[in-house]
Amino acid sequence: MLAVRDLTVAFPPARGKGDATVALDRLTLEVSRGEFVAVLGPSGCGKSTLLRAWGGLLVERARVSGEIAVPRASDGTRATAWMPQRDGLLPWRRALSNAMVGAIAAGVPRERALPRARALLVEFGLGGFEDAWPHELSGGMRQRLALLRTCLTERPVLLLDEPFGALDPVTRRRMNAWLASVGLVSQDGERAVALVTHDVDEAITLADRIVVMSGRPGRIVHEVQAHGESRYDREALLASLDA
Amino acid sequence: MTPRTRAALVGGVTVAVLIAAWEAAVRMGDLPPFVLPAPSHVAATAVGSAPLLGPHVLTTATEAVLGLALGATVGWLLAVLTATIPTTGQVAQPVVLLSQTIPTVVLAPLMILWAGFGLTSKVVLVALTVFFPVLIASSAAIRDVDAEHADMVAGLGGTRRHQLWIVRLPASVPGALAGLRIAATYAVGAAVVSEYLAGASGIGVFIQRSRKAYAVDQIFVGIALIAILTAVLVLAIVALRRALTPWQPAHARL
Ligand SMILES: Nc1ncnc2c1ncn2[C@@H]1O[C@H](COP(=O)(O)OP(=O)(O)OP(=O)(O)O)[C@@H](O)[C@H]1O
Ligand SMILES: [Mg+2]
């Protein structure tokens, strides 16, 4: 349902001379219905660029070739919801109101979104913080709130850019366990998640399938499906990242 | 003692010492009051002419407040418009810069010819000096926040109109208020200068009349009134900022 074929994205040098930065080089990748795919790769390999391509957020000056396939809603709008690498919370909105931005932007009626937002706040461990300003929340709480905002769009395809990237390893592990337990895709097959990260364990905990990218320009060097009790061979994944 | 009360105390003592030194200098130097009146003399004059001063102060305050409101609204709208439709910025920029190269005092006679001696010409003159800092500060505030948050809204399915309502408009408010806070320090001054040129009432008119009567003590009363009025305006804007931007920590709001 979500795909890129031979996608190449290059950024011309900011000021005249020099070579263009090729972020992605003929990348082909597909995410199917009901699937949770993690894209793993070193910093700067083009992970955020890939998600921006799907979200329709590439900057104007980027040179793009290849095909970008995104599922559309019946009214022709994108069926995707994007969560930025930095949380993007608005400092002038309280927690609940920040979450509601997802519903407003996606056109979800307020009467339906508001009760859901309140319920999800509790489920996301933010109960009692409805009226907190973003600067009063911890880094982990901010990222959970940003994820909650993304969920409130009710869009079936989530594009998550290092949802817990800004956290220390211990907190991140706890967040990942929690995110896995929330089950973003498992309940119904109409949903899909593409998550990018440079953390092997995040990918292992969460994904049905892991795609490993090379350093810039990003290409796919390795691809594994989760199977069995142990899910993934962690050593093999680490080795493919180093290659 | 908190740092704030300490700062207030130090400021108060400094002013008190300066006034005391002024008083002492006048008495010991035996200066005639038509050259430099003592602060006690100025205070006595102020009390004596208080009934006369009321309408003058009211006129100037009205001009300053209306001018601030008009200038701030125009400056803020122009900043939002420029951020939304870049072409309007390109059209407005030369006009805006040109308006800032001509001092208000020079424009004042024209304004008086066009809009008369009354309130309108003065409000326009104050607005002309006020809109520029508001425009600049609002534009900077919108630019600072824009890319990241606008992308967030678009990435969640928002349109350009959503970006305007959810991101650009609210982002411009703290900037507009910061610009207004700066503009407030010279709004009263601008009103008084325009009153020098024409008018029947106002602190500027009072000062001009006092000058013609060689009433130096009254001129000092006028100066003190300008300072007090400016201080009140600035404090009002600070309070407005506190009310409109409750998310900002107190230290960022002065
Ligand atoms: N707007 C842009 N203008 C110019 N170059 C860009 C832009 N966005 C990304 N790039 C370049 O494209 C490359 C890939 O960037 P991208 O943000 O996709 O990496 P990433 O894999 O998400 O890295 P990280 O893990 O550090 O977030 C980088 O070399 C970056 O400098
Ligand atoms: Mg990134």
Side-chain angles (χ1 to χ4, degrees), chain A residues 206-231:
Chain A
L206 296 168
D208 306 322
R209 181 156 58 102
I210 298 178
V211 175
V212 182
M213 281 171 70
S214 65
R216 188 162 54 85
R219 303 163 192 243
I220 292 172
V221 291
H222 190 64
E223 211 177 321
V224 273
Q225 198 87 31
H227 61 83
E229 192 64 11
S230 61
R231 289 170 58 83

mmCIF file of all heavy atoms in Angstrom, chain A residues 206-231:
data_model
loop_
_atom_site.group_PDB
_atom_site.id
_atom_site.type_symbol
_atom_site.label_atom_id
_atom_site.label_comp_id
_atom_site.label_asym_id
_atom_site.label_seq_id
_atom_site.Cartn_x
_atom_site.Cartn_y
_atom_site.Cartn_z
ATOM 1 N N LEU A 206 9.926 -3.759 17.735
ATOM 2 C CA LEU A 206 8.669 -3.274 17.177
ATOM 3 C C LEU A 206 8.249 -3.896 15.851
ATOM 4 O O LEU A 206 7.065 -4.084 15.593
ATOM 5 C CB LEU A 206 8.742 -1.757 16.990
ATOM 6 C CG LEU A 206 8.894 -0.952 18.277
ATOM 7 C CD1 LEU A 206 9.252 0.489 17.961
ATOM 8 C CD2 LEU A 206 7.619 -1.016 19.100
ATOM 9 N N ALA A 207 9.224 -4.206 14.990
ATOM 10 C CA ALA A 207 8.875 -4.411 13.582
ATOM 11 C C ALA A 207 8.570 -5.849 13.211
ATOM 12 O O ALA A 207 9.107 -6.789 13.789
ATOM 13 C CB ALA A 207 9.999 -3.881 12.702
ATOM 14 N N ASP A 208 7.680 -5.993 12.199
ATOM 15 C CA ASP A 208 7.449 -7.296 11.570
ATOM 16 C C ASP A 208 8.555 -7.573 10.562
ATOM 17 O O ASP A 208 8.823 -8.704 10.215
ATOM 18 C CB ASP A 208 6.123 -7.310 10.800
ATOM 19 C CG ASP A 208 4.970 -6.875 11.687
ATOM 20 O OD1 ASP A 208 4.983 -7.243 12.872
ATOM 21 O OD2 ASP A 208 4.083 -6.166 11.187
ATOM 22 N N ARG A 209 9.126 -6.507 10.051
ATOM 23 C CA ARG A 209 10.163 -6.648 9.038
ATOM 24 C C ARG A 209 11.163 -5.518 9.219
ATOM 25 O O ARG A 209 10.765 -4.379 9.521
ATOM 26 C CB ARG A 209 9.537 -6.565 7.633
ATOM 27 C CG ARG A 209 10.525 -6.725 6.496
ATOM 28 C CD ARG A 209 9.821 -7.205 5.229
ATOM 29 N NE ARG A 209 8.759 -6.296 4.818
ATOM 30 C CZ ARG A 209 8.886 -5.407 3.807
ATOM 31 N NH1 ARG A 209 9.997 -5.344 3.118
ATOM 32 N NH2 ARG A 209 7.868 -4.636 3.499
ATOM 33 N N ILE A 210 12.439 -5.824 9.051
ATOM 34 C CA ILE A 210 13.472 -4.800 9.203
ATOM 35 C C ILE A 210 14.220 -4.640 7.884
ATOM 36 O O ILE A 210 14.619 -5.620 7.264
ATOM 37 C CB ILE A 210 14.470 -5.158 10.327
ATOM 38 C CG1 ILE A 210 13.740 -5.238 11.675
ATOM 39 C CG2 ILE A 210 15.583 -4.118 10.405
ATOM 40 C CD1 ILE A 210 14.634 -5.641 12.822
ATOM 41 N N VAL A 211 14.359 -3.391 7.475
ATOM 42 C CA VAL A 211 15.102 -3.084 6.255
ATOM 43 C C VAL A 211 16.330 -2.293 6.668
ATOM 44 O O VAL A 211 16.209 -1.282 7.360
ATOM 45 C CB VAL A 211 14.230 -2.233 5.314
ATOM 46 C CG1 VAL A 211 15.025 -1.793 4.103
ATOM 47 C CG2 VAL A 211 12.995 -3.010 4.905
ATOM 48 N N VAL A 212 17.503 -2.761 6.270
ATOM 49 C CA VAL A 212 18.729 -2.070 6.661
ATOM 50 C C VAL A 212 19.263 -1.280 5.469
ATOM 51 O O VAL A 212 19.384 -1.800 4.369
ATOM 52 C CB VAL A 212 19.805 -3.068 7.150
ATOM 53 C CG1 VAL A 212 21.062 -2.314 7.587
ATOM 54 C CG2 VAL A 212 19.265 -3.895 8.303
ATOM 55 N N MET A 213 19.548 -0.008 5.706
ATOM 56 C CA MET A 213 20.074 0.854 4.645
ATOM 57 C C MET A 213 21.561 1.096 4.833
ATOM 58 O O MET A 213 22.073 1.098 5.952
ATOM 59 C CB MET A 213 19.322 2.197 4.630
ATOM 60 C CG MET A 213 17.969 2.128 3.945
ATOM 61 S SD MET A 213 17.020 3.637 4.178
ATOM 62 C CE MET A 213 17.968 4.770 3.183
ATOM 63 N N SER A 214 22.252 1.342 3.703
ATOM 64 C CA SER A 214 23.674 1.676 3.752
ATOM 65 C C SER A 214 23.813 3.149 4.113
ATOM 66 O O SER A 214 22.835 3.886 4.161
ATOM 67 C CB SER A 214 24.287 1.447 2.378
ATOM 68 O OG SER A 214 23.709 2.359 1.466
ATOM 69 N N GLY A 215 25.060 3.562 4.340
ATOM 70 C CA GLY A 215 25.312 4.986 4.549
ATOM 71 C C GLY A 215 25.000 5.755 3.275
ATOM 72 O O GLY A 215 24.726 5.159 2.232
ATOM 73 N N ARG A 216 25.015 7.095 3.353
ATOM 74 C CA ARG A 216 24.621 7.930 2.231
ATOM 75 C C ARG A 216 25.441 7.649 0.979
ATOM 76 O O ARG A 216 26.661 7.561 1.090
ATOM 77 C CB ARG A 216 24.773 9.400 2.657
ATOM 78 C CG ARG A 216 24.234 10.387 1.680
ATOM 79 C CD ARG A 216 24.029 11.715 2.372
ATOM 80 N NE ARG A 216 25.240 12.175 3.042
ATOM 81 C CZ ARG A 216 26.184 12.854 2.421
ATOM 82 N NH1 ARG A 216 26.070 13.156 1.163
ATOM 83 N NH2 ARG A 216 27.253 13.248 3.070
ATOM 84 N N PRO A 217 24.847 7.579 -0.214
ATOM 85 C CA PRO A 217 23.412 7.612 -0.456
ATOM 86 C C PRO A 217 22.753 6.302 -0.068
ATOM 87 O O PRO A 217 23.302 5.231 -0.297
ATOM 88 C CB PRO A 217 23.319 7.829 -1.970
ATOM 89 C CG PRO A 217 24.572 7.258 -2.520
ATOM 90 C CD PRO A 217 25.625 7.441 -1.471
ATOM 91 N N GLY A 218 21.561 6.426 0.544
ATOM 92 C CA GLY A 218 20.938 5.243 1.119
ATOM 93 C C GLY A 218 20.429 4.254 0.084
ATOM 94 O O GLY A 218 19.717 4.604 -0.852
ATOM 95 N N ARG A 219 20.852 3.001 0.233
ATOM 96 C CA ARG A 219 20.277 1.888 -0.545
ATOM 97 C C ARG A 219 19.995 0.776 0.450
ATOM 98 O O ARG A 219 20.559 0.759 1.534
ATOM 99 C CB ARG A 219 21.280 1.301 -1.535
ATOM 100 C CG ARG A 219 21.875 2.236 -2.519
ATOM 101 C CD ARG A 219 23.104 1.532 -3.079
ATOM 102 N NE ARG A 219 23.913 2.464 -3.845
ATOM 103 C CZ ARG A 219 24.131 2.326 -5.141
ATOM 104 N NH1 ARG A 219 23.624 1.296 -5.786
ATOM 105 N NH2 ARG A 219 24.868 3.196 -5.776
ATOM 106 N N ILE A 220 19.164 -0.162 0.022
ATOM 107 C CA ILE A 220 18.860 -1.273 0.920
ATOM 108 C C ILE A 220 19.947 -2.329 0.810
ATOM 109 O O ILE A 220 20.302 -2.757 -0.290
ATOM 110 C CB ILE A 220 17.482 -1.860 0.590
ATOM 111 C CG1 ILE A 220 16.428 -0.812 0.945
ATOM 112 C CG2 ILE A 220 17.235 -3.147 1.378
ATOM 113 C CD1 ILE A 220 15.049 -1.152 0.510
ATOM 114 N N VAL A 221 20.536 -2.691 1.953
ATOM 115 C CA VAL A 221 21.607 -3.684 1.919
ATOM 116 C C VAL A 221 21.170 -4.997 2.564
ATOM 117 O O VAL A 221 21.858 -6.019 2.414
ATOM 118 C CB VAL A 221 22.892 -3.167 2.609
ATOM 119 C CG1 VAL A 221 23.517 -2.057 1.779
ATOM 120 C CG2 VAL A 221 22.612 -2.691 4.023
ATOM 121 N N HIS A 222 20.064 -5.001 3.294
ATOM 122 C CA HIS A 222 19.689 -6.197 4.034
ATOM 123 C C HIS A 222 18.213 -6.089 4.386
ATOM 124 O O HIS A 222 17.707 -5.005 4.623
ATOM 125 C CB HIS A 222 20.530 -6.264 5.316
ATOM 126 C CG HIS A 222 20.423 -7.557 6.069
ATOM 127 N ND1 HIS A 222 20.839 -8.760 5.554
ATOM 128 C CD2 HIS A 222 19.963 -7.813 7.316
ATOM 129 C CE1 HIS A 222 20.627 -9.715 6.463
ATOM 130 N NE2 HIS A 222 20.099 -9.157 7.542
ATOM 131 N N GLU A 223 17.520 -7.233 4.408
ATOM 132 C CA GLU A 223 16.102 -7.206 4.701
ATOM 133 C C GLU A 223 15.741 -8.493 5.418
ATOM 134 O O GLU A 223 16.073 -9.569 4.929
ATOM 135 C CB GLU A 223 15.331 -7.082 3.381
ATOM 136 C CG GLU A 223 14.043 -6.341 3.527
ATOM 137 C CD GLU A 223 13.324 -6.152 2.210
ATOM 138 O OE1 GLU A 223 13.990 -5.891 1.194
ATOM 139 O OE2 GLU A 223 12.101 -6.283 2.210
ATOM 140 N N VAL A 224 15.120 -8.417 6.589
ATOM 141 C CA VAL A 224 14.741 -9.635 7.315
ATOM 142 C C VAL A 224 13.330 -9.537 7.867
ATOM 143 O O VAL A 224 12.867 -8.470 8.273
ATOM 144 C CB VAL A 224 15.676 -9.938 8.514
ATOM 145 C CG1 VAL A 224 16.865 -10.749 8.077
ATOM 146 C CG2 VAL A 224 16.072 -8.671 9.233
ATOM 147 N N GLN A 225 12.679 -10.692 7.883
ATOM 148 C CA GLN A 225 11.328 -10.823 8.398
ATOM 149 C C GLN A 225 11.449 -11.384 9.812
ATOM 150 O O GLN A 225 12.312 -12.222 10.081
ATOM 151 C CB GLN A 225 10.562 -11.818 7.513
ATOM 152 C CG GLN A 225 9.075 -11.754 7.631
ATOM 153 C CD GLN A 225 8.494 -10.715 6.669
ATOM 154 O OE1 GLN A 225 9.053 -10.489 5.598
ATOM 155 N NE2 GLN A 225 7.404 -10.099 7.062
ATOM 156 N N ALA A 226 10.603 -10.927 10.733
ATOM 157 C CA ALA A 226 10.617 -11.497 12.079
ATOM 158 C C ALA A 226 10.084 -12.920 12.018
ATOM 159 O O ALA A 226 9.139 -13.203 11.288
ATOM 160 C CB ALA A 226 9.725 -10.673 13.000
ATOM 161 N N HIS A 227 10.731 -13.838 12.758
ATOM 162 C CA HIS A 227 10.144 -15.171 12.845
ATOM 163 C C HIS A 227 10.577 -15.842 14.130
ATOM 164 O O HIS A 227 11.639 -15.545 14.677
ATOM 165 C CB HIS A 227 10.507 -16.029 11.620
ATOM 166 C CG HIS A 227 11.978 -16.249 11.470
ATOM 167 N ND1 HIS A 227 12.670 -17.214 12.138
ATOM 168 C CD2 HIS A 227 12.892 -15.577 10.726
ATOM 169 C CE1 HIS A 227 13.937 -17.151 11.813
ATOM 170 N NE2 HIS A 227 14.104 -16.167 10.967
ATOM 171 N N GLY A 228 9.724 -16.712 14.607
ATOM 172 C CA GLY A 228 10.038 -17.502 15.792
ATOM 173 C C GLY A 228 10.025 -16.681 17.071
ATOM 174 O O GLY A 228 9.667 -15.510 17.078
ATOM 175 N N GLU A 229 10.415 -17.334 18.133
ATOM 176 C CA GLU A 229 10.385 -16.733 19.456
ATOM 177 C C GLU A 229 11.405 -15.588 19.565
ATOM 178 O O GLU A 229 11.116 -14.524 20.085
ATOM 179 C CB GLU A 229 10.664 -17.827 20.500
ATOM 180 C CG GLU A 229 10.384 -17.443 21.924
ATOM 181 C CD GLU A 229 8.893 -17.137 22.176
ATOM 182 O OE1 GLU A 229 8.035 -17.427 21.304
ATOM 183 O OE2 GLU A 229 8.612 -16.579 23.224
ATOM 184 N N SER A 230 12.596 -15.817 19.011
ATOM 185 C CA SER A 230 13.652 -14.811 19.150
ATOM 186 C C SER A 230 13.515 -13.680 18.125
ATOM 187 O O SER A 230 14.232 -12.686 18.201
ATOM 188 C CB SER A 230 15.021 -15.472 19.000
ATOM 189 O OG SER A 230 15.132 -16.056 17.712
ATOM 190 N N ARG A 231 12.564 -13.847 17.180
ATOM 191 C CA ARG A 231 12.247 -12.827 16.184
ATOM 192 C C ARG A 231 13.389 -12.537 15.205
ATOM 193 O O ARG A 231 13.249 -12.753 14.016
ATOM 194 C CB ARG A 231 11.770 -11.537 16.844
ATOM 195 C CG ARG A 231 10.386 -11.686 17.446
ATOM 196 C CD ARG A 231 9.997 -10.499 18.311
ATOM 197 N NE ARG A 231 10.021 -9.221 17.617
ATOM 198 C CZ ARG A 231 9.027 -8.768 16.873
ATOM 199 N NH1 ARG A 231 7.955 -9.482 16.721
ATOM 200 N NH2 ARG A 231 9.106 -7.592 16.293
#
